[in-house]
Amino acid sequence: MSGDFHDTVSGDLGLRIEEPPIFEQDSPGALGVDWPETEAGADRLGGLARSGAIGLPSLAEPTVVRHYTRLSQKNYGIDTGLFPLGSCTMKHNPRLNERVARLPGFADIHPLQPESTVQGALALCRELQRWLTVLTGMPGVALTPGAGAHGELCGMMAIRAALDAGGAANADRKRVLVPDSAHGTNPATAAALGFEVVSIPEDGRGRVDPGRFEALAGEGGVAAVMLTNPNTCGVFENDIRRIADAVHEAGGYFYCDGANFNAIVGRVRPGDLGVDAMHINLHKTFSTPHGGGGPGSGPVVFSEALAPFAPVPRIVGEDGALRLEEANGQAFGRMKAFHGQMGMFVRALAYMMSHGADGLRQVSGDAVLNANYLLRKLEDVYSAPFAHAGPAMHEALFDDRALKDTGVSTLDIAKAMIDEGLHPMTVYFPLVVHGAMLVEPTETETRASLDRFVAIMRGLAERAHDGAPLTEAPFHAPRRRLDETQAARKPVLRWRGAGE
Amino acid sequence: MSGDFHDTVSGDLGLRIEEPPIFEQDSPGALGVDWPETEAGADRLGGLARSGAIGLPSLAEPTVVRHYTRLSQKNYGIDTGLFPLGSCTMKHNPRLNERVARLPGFADIHPLQPESTVQGALALCRELQRWLTVLTGMPGVALTPGAGAHGELCGMMAIRAALDAGGAANADRKRVLVPDSAHGTNPATAAALGFEVVSIPEDGRGRVDPGRFEALAGEGGVAAVMLTNPNTCGVFENDIRRIADAVHEAGGYFYCDGANFNAIVGRVRPGDLGVDAMHINLHKTFSTPHGGGGPGSGPVVFSEALAPFAPVPRIVGEDGALRLEEANGQAFGRMKAFHGQMGMFVRALAYMMSHGADGLRQVSGDAVLNANYLLRKLEDVYSAPFAHAGPAMHEALFDDRALKDTGVSTLDIAKAMIDEGLHPMTVYFPLVVHGAMLVEPTETETRASLDRFVAIMRGLAERAHDGAPLTEAPFHAPRRRLDETQAARKPVLRWRGAGE
Amino acid sequence: MRYLPITDADRSGMLQAIGAPSVEALFADVPEGALLAEPVDLPRHAGEFEVERRLSRLAARNRAAGAGPFFCGAGSYRHHIPAAVDYLIQRGEFLTSYTPYQPEIAQGTLQYLFEFQTQVCLLTGMEVANASMYDGATAAAEAVTMANRVTRRSKAVVSGNLHPHYRDTAATLARFQGFALEAGPPMPAGGEDLASRIDDETSCVVVQYPDLFGNISDFSALAEAAHAKGALLVVVVTEIVALGALRPPGEMGADIVAAEGQSLGNAMGFGGPHLGLFAARTRHMRQMPGRLCGETVDADGRRGYVLTLATREQHIRRERATSNICTNSGLCSLAFTIHLTLLGETGLKRLAALNHAGAVSLADRLGARVVTPAFFNEFTVRLAGDAAGAVEQLAGEGILAGVPVSRLHPGAGLDDLLLVAVTETTDEEDLAALAEALS
Amino acid sequence: MRYLPITDADRSGMLQAIGAPSVEALFADVPEGALLAEPVDLPRHAGEFEVERRLSRLAARNRAAGAGPFFCGAGSYRHHIPAAVDYLIQRGEFLTSYTPYQPEIAQGTLQYLFEFQTQVCLLTGMEVANASMYDGATAAAEAVTMANRVTRRSKAVVSGNLHPHYRDTAATLARFQGFALEAGPPMPAGGEDLASRIDDETSCVVVQYPDLFGNISDFSALAEAAHAKGALLVVVVTEIVALGALRPPGEMGADIVAAEGQSLGNAMGFGGPHLGLFAARTRHMRQMPGRLCGETVDADGRRGYVLTLATREQHIRRERATSNICTNSGLCSLAFTIHLTLLGETGLKRLAALNHAGAVSLADRLGARVVTPAFFNEFTVRLAGDAAGAVEQLAGEGILAGVPVSRLHPGAGLDDLLLVAVTETTDEEDLAALAEALS
Ligand SMILES: Cc1ncc(COP(=O)(O)O)c(C=O)c1O
Ligand SMILES: Cc1ncc(COP(=O)(O)O)c(C=O)c1O
């Protein structure tokens, strides 16, 4: 017997139960579904029938349900607690939306059914477009992109197409100005389309310096600026109109990364600020669930100038006789096999209808209030680089200067938060801030939850200064810190056999 | 800072998060649903409008979802792991059954709709009756009882009614013979109906001694025997036919507690053994979920002799013109507001159809095999009082004799199992065995799961002998042992205010 | 078969391990001839798709309430259930757990039961509530037997306006337990004199609030009359949403409240599973049936919950138990609790107000044909002819117009009466359709 | 509003705490005039019942596939999804979690991704698979750009029998990335000669298996031809269930497999969200797009999983990333994994066999009108007249007869061709109905 009574025979600890991969639970002969065997008959597979085993394990349904239940229990979700992941808008995901997305009239229809049999689906897409149009003040909407980054591709392709349509002289327009603080998808998108990424340094206020921007734009060859607003430093680009004017003057377009639209929805229309294209992460602002990494949906709204270049398919015609336009001379092309993330459209529209114009306004107000509340309640213990530069928007940005002499890093704080029953905030992003901690509480937290967060964060700061072993945290999660170096050095990307 | 780094600021531990009652999360003004305010108008409440506050707390939906999610995370279910609760048949609960029970054609219909509008529902009830009839070999089925104990009431009322119908001489028949090993509901039911409970002692083989029984039955005034078979000692009453004959000879009826029907379903028909009435816990044998204590469903099958006395409502007529008979001269009465646990009927029928006659036979075979396997694998370390008396049925019964000198009790083993990621077996039942441990693995466990159980149980026995502090277990559950004495001495049965 | 994980290989290995020649050999104790050699005469196993298809076809042969205007009540009500409720109750940790006899790993169930008991107390105005009964009717029957125990008397005086199925459920128990149950005739417009029927033998008076016909009355005087004779007042509620708008029975002197809780969180489901609520006074706590959840502390001093006062129950007290109930309506009480938590103080009041406003609106349209002077969301209408016939005919036209009184009181000369219920799911068009259909 | 927990009292307390006069004051950085004083011109908030009712009405205006005989395929397939799948993916711990960047509390997501990657490898016969892409079309487009990177060439040779939407998705990227994409004309009965079109500039050949018209062909020789010229073979699969019956692309020499995984675990949902599968050879691992989950150990030496090789990705590598993808199809991959785990070796093979048997049965009835010599569960039928017209007409009769080729290849002179798909959800009656309707 082990001397430590915390130890168990099984290695499991109460409701914390270890669960090996399905491949280690293979029980040949077990079935998890009951499809009948087919009567032997001549096949018409042209000699290409699979021979031999695929190698899939066999498990009965009870084993499978238990397996994935147990896996789920090793996860933290919004339903578990505060999930203040900056730039990700981890807000409440209403169950109503799951229910309506599963209505057979939405879930059990085929993308290529006759249009006459899907008028309700097309009308739903139209209605979603209407809400997005009114909320952004921008007339065009492309629904197809699969997520935010895909929306960026869509927007930047439209810009390229518009430039190309503007004449051969535009062929040289390859420069895309991107702030250093931008999300990685922005430069990756621009580069993927053959643009040259020109970085705009942060101005000390967490923003783009308009003078500096005008200078950069003036250097010629500008295709576009890609700007996130509210930006990833958690503040509003107050010179956004000057920036828009400058890029337009330079002959380029203004792409806005709409990841942070939650801070302004119902209060500010990007169309009023000179934006030409912006993706909207329905999985952020409009609460379609993140699902452990996806699926998302990234519709793009367009200005008059860019709308003609939107990709196919497009929804055209009148209610009751709506059609999908699959080819259009000006359209820059196609993004995806079908018409977009319909399941997410249903959820997002249900979310919008539930809130209404009044509720959406409250969304942004409360999201911003909550972030400012956290900023003010914590700025004395965690350094806040831009706290001086005006109110925060829906995120509170801290850095690790205040922890300097403790030996405790941003990462350690994040891991210690895990022990406290919190999900960590976004860390080390934006890159312009050393040891960044980007906290986005969202509007769906109670004040009590925010106060609890404050108390924990203050307590952790104190412990950091007191020399607590936060560098070893977490202690209480399903796993201690994982060895990412080993994972990358000798990648094991699939199961190979038991007992490695 | 606390010296113990296992300690956290919040008191929460990773994914183990404390969650106060809703009443301590009251946030006046918060809404969890959006019903509009009604326009003021004259009410017709006759002056009985409620004045003042009800006292319900106000929480928004995100808070509520998180609250009940967290509560669920403090629970152990079949989906979590092995749940070997003897006499309870904690088998896999298929999700298909949840899905079909929610079809609007079943869930969204009213018990008093015109019969012409519920022909499918009535046909489903009929179909369930057919399955139960064929499986039990008994011609009558009363569907209304709400659970097993309610079924007992139903069966015993039918017996009383039949006796009464048999003439005034039967008025004195008040004795109901009940083995000591019976579940508490058996004597409670008999007593509730004015019967006198006569106990039948266990015979050393975990069974009723037929000679002894005949003697008891011969003493006159016998109304019925209530026998569980397979019985709660986990064995089959091999003299069941003699017992049936004896009670019939004595002018009484044979009530069988069908809680353990899972051991014989598809293989043995109680009707072939002389049973006159038996309840079937759909929430055991036919896998409708236990739901943390209910709802269940306890249909009763009847022999020819008792069938006429079944309660109303009854389903009569032909398919397509089925009717509910709400009054019948011979019926002993009514059990419940409406026609029974329809939601459970749908689930149970889905379960039966899924298994079919072949699958149900496999159910009992595997359930019995699994129990015998555990019995043989553990009988050397846990004493098994009836292991000598023939094969076990679907339960393996142990007692605490083998732990005698360790200071560790059955309860301690149960609590130590919690630490190991297992749910404990049924403990201290049946009462005829000191420190009983009644283990029912069910047929939906894998062999690997059984082997893991064996390894843990053997390990715990070893630790008990090695002096491990099992008397203090559990250490790793959401709570340590709870003070039941305090709970009963000063009952606090409702929330009264924060921070007691 | 997809639910059965033991493979042929497992089976033979395990048989070998235990030294048994076959699975059949394990059934050696079954008497000669009773062990079936072959599967019974029922269909063979079927895949999920097939089972779902067959059951969906049966479901399609029923007219779902959501398919058109719907006005049935009389003990089962159609309310909107928030999507979060149905998600949460399906979480395996709730759905697939057992009665919380091992409290260390059942705090989830226990805490919601504690919340549930508190909510039931608040709604009913009572002091203590149990963790549920099968349904309102069985709760009412248990209330009567509890009153018998408390008073050591054996005669219950029952209102003629109690739901007849409730009355019959109690009467059935009365027949076998040997107590008297005196029920008056139905009085659709109310005005029953129950006080005069109470005597020194009376254990309780049982009334319904709102009653079968929708009437609501103040029972304070009745309570006093009962108490004066040493009897208890049992108040039955079949539409619990009513208590969001009405004075709670506890304020009127009720000693026991037995209610149907289906309206919150639970579908009508053709009548079951429903949810019996049971609340009483602290002084009678130890005579209550059913489970009780109580607060306590664990070995580390942390607050926690357990089932308590189990010495009342069958598994401890056996033939001396207060009731034989074991399995109750656990998951239905969870649904109730979550729904009511979502509603909260304001939500419940608004919901009740909406229900009442809808009913008033319908009553206004129907004018003098409404028999019930004061009501919550259900009332009685007098038709020109046979109500059952009218309902059947309207069903053919897609309107489920309500419950004819003759369905519950056949042969009582009330065949022209129709019970109509209005909830928040009834819209303006529905109201117009029924008013039109009945005119 | 039910989703917004901050009350008026909270708001004023918090404003006071931070010293701000109003919420509006926090928007001080918004330029003059751009801050709206009033809510925008859209409806006000609505309760759950109302929203559900409105959306249900929209849903009712679509013809669900389950409502009658159904034969559409062409990249999206109707398969039965076990109920357990939908329950499990809705568990909040999966549904409401983020990309597993904090692995200590995301082992659930990470482990299923590891299982998913392994399953995709097994099905496709490839060595390494990523954690998903948006859909099959974007996976195929990424496969081409990956081939360009690997070979440092910029011309893709594309089969004319590749789904035209896939082709267009890749062509759109080609246009903006400036590489060549040479697609041949459609050849409904197969027999395309692609090998001859490969030259020293070719980065890859892209083929579909089964192809748009349902043809299945052995690409081993094509793989050799490509490899001989230093080009890669990209195999696209739009019906992943086919790989339960067919030789896997990995055995034929494929270098990259880009597939649509919707068929397992995911509804058709009008075309999205779907699930892009992406598998390749280990030697090209570091050129793959998207997330990869890898096994490692924690500080206590226990096995665990993390996202790895992130230096390929946009959040680390930024403009030098292998792809800009961030959010992928996480939950769809969970559904896929659970469904495939339930199926297992035997279940998948039986499922595939059932699909094929159904298609063969239909083809037998249609006889010589079937254009496709060898197929899995979908094939091409030549009608007497315009297929689109026939489909429209049959839709009116309640039969969704398939996808007319003209919908995908308009103006290509293939207007008399119809693609019909048969799955395990198609029953004998459905087959008879279509055969009859087309005769
Ligand atoms: C600022 C910003 N831009 C773009 C993206 C990319 O969006 P998606 O993940 O939906 O592709 C993100 C996502 O985290 C983001 O935070
Ligand atoms: C042997 C036995 N009889 C009767 C019952 C009572 O059944 P129910 O809980 O369904 O009322 C049980 C339940 O545990 C039991 O095990």
Side-chain angles (χ1 to χ4, degrees), chain B residues 466-487:
Chain B
D466 287 350
L470 302 186
T471 53
E472 289 174 51
F475 298 99
H476 303 290
R479 282 291 177 273
R480 302 287 306 279
R481 277 191 214 192
L482 289 139
D483 188 341
E484 312 214 6
T485 312
Q486 171 181 326

Side-chain angles (χ1 to χ4, degrees), chain B residues 87 147-149 152 183 185 228 232 257 259 279 281 283-284, chain C residues 98 326-327:
Chain B
S87 201
E152 294 176 32
H183 192 262
T185 50
T228 311
T232 61
D257 180 329
H279 74 260
N281 308 63
H283 46 298
K284 296 183 178 177
Chain C
Y98 196 71
C326 179
T327 291

Side-chain angles (χ1 to χ4, degrees), chain A residues 213-291:
Chain A
F213 183 82
E214 284 163 349
L216 280 170
E219 287 170 18
V222 171
V225 61
M226 293 184 87
L227 199 69
T228 310
N229 196 26
N231 70 25
T232 62
C233 294
V235 292
F236 197 91
E237 295 283 355
N238 53 342
D239 291 309
I240 185 164
R241 281 199 172 133
R242 244 177 98 183
I243 295 169
D245 289 347
V247 75
H248 289 150
E249 202 137 312
Y253 290 92
F254 182 175
Y255 185 88
C256 182
D257 179 330
N260 293 341
F261 190 51
N262 202 52
I264 56 171
V265 61
R267 292 177 185 266
V268 179
R269 288 180 302 218
D272 294 344
L273 301 169
V275 170
D276 292 299
M278 180 176 91
H279 74 260
I280 295 168
N281 308 65
L282 296 185
H283 45 300
K284 296 184 178 177
T285 310
F286 299 111
S287 103
T288 73
H290 279 80

Side-chain angles (χ1 to χ4, degrees), chain B residues 24 50 54-55 67-68 75 107-110 116-117 121 182 189 207 267 337 354 358 415 479 481 483 500, chain C residues 2 29 36 45 62-63 65 73 102 104 109 115 123 165 243 245 270 295-296 299 303 318 324 345 392:
Chain B
E24 294 170 20
R50 190 188 263 273
I54 305 169
H67 176 72
Y68 291 102
N75 260 15
D108 193 26
I109 58 175
H110 190 279
S116 60
T117 67
T189 300
R207 294 180 174 82
R267 291 177 184 265
S354 293
D358 54 331
K415 299 305 182 191
R479 282 291 177 273
R481 277 191 214 192
D483 188 341
E500 51 315 9
Chain C
R2 64 192 180 277
D29 285 327
L36 303 175
H45 72 274
N62 304 316
R63 181 171 175 84
Q102 296 289 346
E104 297 86 354
T109 298
E115 294 174 352
L123 275 184
H165 290 175
L243 298 189
F270 202 46
E295 185 183 308
T296 185
R303 176 168 60 177
R318 301 177 74 86
N324 78 332
E345 180 81 17
E392 194 67 43

Side-chain angles (χ1 to χ4, degrees), chain A residues 129-382:
Chain A
Q129 287 177 323
R130 177 170 84 99
W131 281 76
L132 294 177
T133 296
V134 173
L135 287 169
T136 60
M138 295 175 71
V141 188
L143 287 180
T144 44
H150 209 214
E152 294 175 33
L153 272 183
C154 176
M156 294 305 288
M157 287 185 190
I159 288 173
R160 182 76 263 169
L163 288 170
D164 291 352
N170 278 341
D172 290 345
R173 290 191 176 275
K174 297 214 147 171
R175 292 173 71 225
V176 172
L177 311 185
V178 184
D180 282 348
S181 59
H183 192 262
T185 50
N186 294 184
T189 300
L193 298 178
F195 292 109
E196 177 197 327
V197 177
V198 179
S199 87
I200 319 172
E202 185 272 311
D203 73 346
R205 301 177 311 132
R207 294 178 173 82
V208 170
D209 179 277
R212 183 77 182 265
F213 183 82
E214 284 163 349
L216 280 170
E219 287 170 18
V222 171
V225 61
M226 293 184 87
L227 199 69
T228 310
N229 196 26
N231 70 25
T232 62
C233 294
V235 292
F236 197 91
E237 295 283 355
N238 53 342
D239 291 309
I240 185 164
R241 281 199 172 133
R242 244 177 98 183
I243 295 169
D245 289 347
V247 75
H248 289 150
E249 202 137 312
Y253 290 92
F254 182 175
Y255 185 88
C256 182
D257 179 330
N260 293 341
F261 190 51
N262 202 52
I264 56 171
V265 61
R267 292 177 185 266
V268 179
R269 288 180 302 218
D272 294 344
L273 301 169
V275 170
D276 292 299
M278 180 176 91
H279 74 260
I280 295 168
N281 308 65
L282 296 185
H283 45 300
K284 296 184 178 177
T285 310
F286 299 111
S287 103
T288 73
H290 279 80
S297 179
V300 177
V301 287
F302 288 116
S303 61
E304 293 285 3
L306 290 183
F309 303 98
V312 292
R314 300 174 181 179
I315 295 161
V316 295
E318 294 302 311
D319 191 48
L322 294 167
R323 288 179 299 107
L324 287 159
E325 187 181 60
E326 300 281 357
N328 176 299
Q330 278 194 286
F332 72 70
R334 169 181 287 277
M335 301 287 306
K336 212 164 168 295
F338 300 113
H339 341 305
Q341 309 286 62
M342 179 69 180
M344 302 297 129
F345 301 165
V346 182
R347 290 172 175 87
L349 188 61
Y351 173 92
M352 290 174 177
M353 290 166 66
S354 293
H355 282 82
D358 53 332
L360 290 173
R361 214 177 141 78
Q362 188 182 332
V363 161
S364 51
D366 288 351
V368 168
L369 174 63
N370 288 356
N372 278 283
Y373 184 71
L374 294 185
L375 185 65
R376 297 305 161 202
K377 289 276 191 176
L378 289 172
E379 62 182 336
D380 59 332
V381 289
Y382 292 91

